Amino acid sequence: MSTSSLILFNKPYGVQSQFRDDSNNDHTTLSEFFTDKSLRVAGRLDATSEGLLILTSDGRINKAITHPPKAPSRIHQRPIKGINKARLT
């Protein structure tokens, strides 16, 4: 039985939610934070956002998170000029 990894990563602003930069534009990617080749990203965040990103080496966990019928509900919070806190769903 092999062990699997589950990582909760607070993705910083400016980092792409992938392990390699196919655009050849020298963007910061997850490979600068993680060396485990078995990790896969469960979800995505834009490079211009920051927040929780889940990485796992377990395909079942990844599918449970990313498969649309089983996807957890998401709440996105973004600052809006003139409003202290706005909740968009």
Side-chain angles (χ1 to χ4, degrees), residues 23-51:
S23 67
N24 295 321
N25 289 331
D26 238 4
H27 294 295
T28 304
T29 65
L30 294 175
S31 62
E32 296 183 33
F33 298 89
F34 305 101
T35 58
D36 184 347
K37 302 286 186 200
S38 69
L39 288 175
R40 300 291 176 259
V41 181
R44 281 193 94 64
L45 289 174
D46 293 336
T48 57
S49 64
E50 58 188 30

Side-chain angles (χ1 to χ4, degrees), residues 1 23 74 78 80-81 88:
M1 180 179 209
S23 67
R74 294 170 177 88
R78 300 290 293 181
I80 298 174
K81 193 173 187 176
L88 306 175

Side-chain angles (χ1 to χ4, degrees), residues 5-68:
S5 299
L6 178 69
I7 298 171
L8 304 179
F9 178 59
N10 186 18
K11 186 193 84 59
Y13 180 90
V15 176
Q16 292 188 348
S17 298
Q18 57 194 41
F19 283 93
R20 62 174 200 239
D21 179 16
D22 294 329
S23 67
N24 295 321
N25 289 331
D26 238 4
H27 294 295
T28 304
T29 65
L30 294 175
S31 62
E32 296 183 33
F33 298 89
F34 305 101
T35 58
D36 184 347
K37 302 286 186 200
S38 69
L39 288 175
R40 300 291 176 259
V41 181
R44 281 193 94 64
L45 289 174
D46 293 336
T48 57
S49 64
E50 58 188 30
L52 177 66
L53 193 61
I54 300 172
L55 298 100
T56 182
S57 61
D58 187 320
R60 291 176 301 157
I61 293 172
N62 193 317
K63 184 176 180 181
I65 293 169
T66 60
H67 192 267

